[in-house]
Amino acid sequence: MKISQDQLTQKAIELLKQLISIPSFSGEEDKTGDAIAAFLEGFGIEVHRQYNNIYAFNKYFDESKPTLLLNSHHDTVKPNNAYTKDPFHPHIEDGKLFGLGSNDAGGCLVSLLATFVNFYEAEGLSHNIIMAATGEEEDAGEKSIRSLLPILPNIDVAVVGEPTLMDLAIAEKGLVVFDAVVKGTPSHAAHPNNNNAIYNTIDVLQWFKDCSFDKVSEALGEVKLTVTQINAGKQHNVVPAQVDMVVDVRVNDCYSNQEIADLLQKEAPCEMTPRSLRLNSSSIDPGHDLVKSGLALGRGTYGSPTLSDQAALSCQSVKLGPGDSTRSHSADEFIFVNEIVEGIDLYIKILTGFLQ
């Protein structure tokens, strides 16, 4: 007998409580992986595992059809020092389910798991469905979805579960972090020095402050460059040889990360070394049928400035889920129980419109 949506929703909420109670910092998600596998197996679903990545295929998977990926993560950051509640004690107050990872991204994850169960035995769908509950999202680790994708069938489109208030993030900014170095002549502070690295940094900082990129994205706006760290000197009477800075660049979908690196290394008035180029921007065609299905239900679209596992995907993808990203990584993190109820309902309705 097919389980009702209400029953499925209650089981998803109970799973979220269980996941909150199990510490699952990035790279340490083995026990939450066990719980997710047991949840799916409880519905008679064959489960596969790679590291702490748990994944499953819909019952009538057909290699001749395109494939939809449903993905969210079960790792968390460590609780910050401002917590007043036990981060591993799931409890409901005033309709809010409190606990570490409740909003980022537990609510999204259990809602997608429930949605996958809902469609698991459906026949005649336009797409196959793969459900992947993955680890190491918070630190973009080597055993995250990046390690899983090469062993999965080709993915044509993806829904990445992150808290978006169930509006559709149809584009997401990429990220390049640069280590910047401004050089000068080291000397004793008592002697004249016309090549002081710290003073040289004044003009460099102004250049960064004024820096802009020509291409502006309709969904994501401008590329945003921000100097976030600066460090120099070890004692009061020594002029340092260099100033080290960290520059955070949020990249829109008009540029690849490589293009941004090439531009800055050519134009910036200091040495610029990118730490990684793999966190590219991502997007989906605003006219894609998946987006149309969400719009038909009155959901909005926007461009997201924050990163997710979308950065690892090469297919078109949309970020979508219950919860509010402003609560992510906050003290006394929570998600409204009604957001999960609504999230499961909307996921099912959006996919029904898309898959049928």
Side-chain angles (χ1 to χ4, degrees):
M1 181 177 176
K2 184 175 173 64
I3 187 171
S4 72
Q5 187 173 317
D6 286 345
Q7 291 173 314
L8 190 54
T9 299
Q10 289 308 308
K11 286 183 178 291
I13 293 169
E14 290 306 310
L15 174 62
L16 179 53
K17 292 178 180 178
Q18 184 182 2
L19 296 178
I20 290 168
S21 70
I22 304 170
S24 56
F25 307 132
S26 295
E28 304 173 19
E29 320 93 335
D30 53 310
K31 296 296 190 297
T32 47
D34 294 344
I36 292 162
F39 175 83
L40 291 171
E41 288 167 346
F43 295 99
I45 296 171
E46 182 181 0
V47 172
H48 306 271
R49 184 169 190 149
Q50 184 233 31
Y51 305 123
N52 294 325
N53 301 317
I54 309 300
Y55 61 105
F57 304 88
N58 65 304
K59 186 173 183 178
Y60 298 104
F61 193 97
D62 180 348
E63 291 183 0
S64 68
K65 292 182 178 181
T67 296
L68 166 70
L69 173 69
L70 305 180
N71 166 246
S72 191
H73 64 95
H74 57 105
D75 63 315
T76 71
V77 296
K78 294 187 177 181
N80 69 49
N81 292 332
Y83 260 83
T84 65
K85 302 177 185 293
D86 182 347
F88 305 111
H89 173 55
H91 62 286
I92 297 172
E93 296 178 24
D94 300 322
K96 301 173 182 177
L97 174 54
F98 285 91
L100 183 66
S102 56
N103 181 79
D104 180 21
C108 303
L109 174 62
V110 300
S111 297
L112 280 175
L113 286 163
T115 301
F116 176 75
V117 171
N118 179 81
F119 287 101
Y120 173 70
E121 294 188 356
E123 298 185 63
L125 300 178
S126 64
H127 287 62
N128 301 309
I129 308 175
I130 299 175
M131 177 69 221
T134 50
E136 297 194 13
E137 187 270 350
E138 295 291 0
D139 60 3
E142 293 300 324
K143 296 179 180 179
S144 66
I145 192 173
R146 289 162 182 80
S147 67
L148 179 61
L149 288 170
I151 67 175
L152 293 179
N154 181 64
I155 306 298
D156 296 275
V157 63
V159 175
V160 176
E162 290 283 341
T164 70
L165 294 170
M166 287 307 290
D167 284 329
L168 292 84
I170 59 173
E172 175 185 274
K173 280 189 172 179
L175 170 66
V176 189
V177 177
F178 291 88
D179 291 303
V181 177
V182 180
K183 292 187 175 181
T185 302
S187 69
H188 194 293
H191 300 306
N193 186 343
N194 294 322
N195 190 33
N196 184 317
I198 293 176
Y199 293 160
N200 293 344
T201 303
I202 296 171
D203 289 338
V204 175
L205 287 171
Q206 189 63 51
W207 189 91
F208 282 136
K209 185 177 180 181
D210 295 338
C211 181
S212 63
F213 297 82
D214 294 336
K215 298 176 186 177
V216 179
S217 165
E218 183 175 343
L220 294 171
E222 298 179 345
V223 174
K224 186 176 187 297
L225 181 152
T226 309
V227 178
T228 56
Q229 292 175 254
I230 187 165
N231 183 58
K234 293 184 178 179
Q235 59 192 68
H236 78 89
N237 58 353
V238 177
V239 176
Q242 67 184 49
V243 176
D244 298 310
M245 294 185 290
V246 176
V247 182
D248 177 294
V249 184
R250 303 290 165 152
V251 184
N252 66 24
D253 51 344
C254 300
Y255 295 91
S256 69
N257 286 357
Q258 184 65 61
E259 288 175 311
I260 292 295
D262 290 344
L263 281 168
L264 287 175
Q265 287 179 315
K266 179 182 178 182
E267 302 292 340
C270 65
E271 292 183 8
M272 300 281 286
T273 304
R275 294 181 180 178
S276 169
L277 298 176
R278 69 179 183 172
L279 300 175
N280 281 287
S281 62
S282 54
S283 63
I284 190 170
D285 184 341
H288 195 285
D289 286 343
L290 184 58
V291 178
K292 288 180 178 178
S293 184
L295 293 173
L297 292 167
R299 309 315 300 177
T301 61
Y302 71 103
S304 172
T306 57
L307 275 172
S308 72
D309 271 339
Q310 271 188 292
L313 300 173
S314 58
C315 63
Q316 294 197 78
S317 58
V318 62
K319 187 161 64 177
L320 172 68
D324 186 338
S325 66
T326 62
R327 300 181 209 136
S328 299
H329 304 183
S330 64
D332 299 334
E333 181 182 350
F334 70 88
I335 188 169
F336 286 100
V337 174
N338 281 343
E339 288 178 323
I340 300 171
V341 175
E342 179 190 42
I344 293 171
D345 186 59
L346 281 169
Y347 272 145
I348 290 174
K349 286 177 177 176
I350 289 171
L351 292 192
T352 296
F354 173 61
L355 295 169
Q356 298 181 350

